[in-house]
Amino acid sequence: CIPAKERTHADIIFHLCVDAVLAAPAGSEARRLQIRLVAEILTIPLLSWKLSAKSISKLLSSPPVTGGSRRSLSSRRPELLIVFMSAFVEHHSSSLSMGKIVSLLPKFDVPLATCPAPPVQCLLANLIQIGRICPSINGSDSSKIDYQAGAFFFNFIATVIDAVPLGTFISRESAIEWVSDGSSHTPVVLSPVIIQQCKLLLVDPFV
């Protein structure tokens, strides 16, 4: 349970980060901030718990017409989440094609002793949590679905799934994995909460 005061502080910081990205001049600076937001914000453990629903929904709004550079994935204006992910994928296309997404993410800004889940697993959990409430991605409303953006989202999810610990999708409620911190490997009992968030990919409305 996240105290209301801490969630309020988290909301303020999150909105500042997103607004800073949107206010950046179009071009390389905007793209750099979009890429950092994916790597540094969307890898925060239990992000959907730490932010209010209103803050999470900000990622599902469309960017201003004049705000930052963005790639048009369809005739619709894509959500901010897709815009930011697109910048990340385009910039790191070579590394992602070789399955090196782990090397593109922070090296355990949150110690494993505090949250026993590697950044790539947190990224997967957060994307699944956000995707579940986005009709244009999850297909829950056929009148709102954006097939091109949805395909892009799930292709990226597939890339992330290939990099998460194998224990993420086992049937047991807990799993022990050897996790690398860059210099050594440590046995970690993976967070059951984050495992459950990841497993939501296998239930409605995604399936």
Side-chain angles (χ1 to χ4, degrees), residues 21-161:
V21 173
L22 296 178
S28 59
E29 179 62 16
R31 288 176 58 80
R32 184 180 68 84
L33 293 177
Q34 291 168 3
I35 293 164
R36 289 191 62 183
L37 190 141
V38 172
E40 299 176 21
I41 302 298
L42 295 185
T43 54
I44 293 174
L46 303 175
L47 183 65
S48 61
W49 284 19
K50 296 172 180 175
L51 297 176
S52 65
K54 181 179 180 180
S55 290
I56 293 294
S57 66
K58 189 175 181 71
L59 289 175
L60 304 181
S61 62
S62 296
V65 174
T66 58
S69 63
R70 60 184 177 87
R71 169 177 140 192
S72 179
L73 290 169
S74 69
S75 58
R76 302 186 184 196
R77 290 172 60 204
E79 290 82 358
L80 286 174
L81 174 67
I82 298 298
V83 173
F84 298 159
M85 290 172 59
S86 177
F88 183 87
V89 169
E90 288 181 349
H91 184 73
H92 295 301
S93 58
S94 178
S95 295
L96 291 173
S97 66
M98 294 186 289
K100 296 182 178 180
I101 187 173
V102 172
S103 67
L104 306 175
L105 303 178
K107 303 299 182 185
F108 298 101
D109 286 348
V110 179
L112 287 172
T114 302
C115 179
V120 68
Q121 191 183 33
C122 295
L123 176 63
L124 177 62
N126 289 332
L127 289 177
I128 290 172
Q129 289 294 300
I130 298 170
R132 292 183 77 238
I133 61 173
C134 183
S136 68
I137 292 174
N138 63 35
S140 59
D141 186 337
S142 60
S143 67
K144 296 180 180 179
I145 189 169
D146 184 332
Y147 293 99
Q148 196 167 355
F152 170 79
F153 178 82
F154 284 105
N155 281 337
F156 185 73
I157 287 288
T159 298
V160 180
I161 287 176

Side-chain angles (χ1 to χ4, degrees), residues 43-46 50 102 106-123 164-165 168 175-192 194-195:
T43 54
I44 293 174
L46 303 175
K50 296 172 180 175
V102 172
K107 303 299 182 185
F108 298 101
D109 286 348
V110 179
L112 287 172
T114 302
C115 179
V120 68
Q121 191 183 33
C122 295
L123 176 63
V164 297
T168 301
I176 299 177
E177 290 284 340
W178 287 89
V179 177
S180 172
D181 61 4
S183 59
S184 62
H185 285 75
T186 304
V188 173
V189 179
L190 298 174
S191 167
I194 292 181
I195 285 178

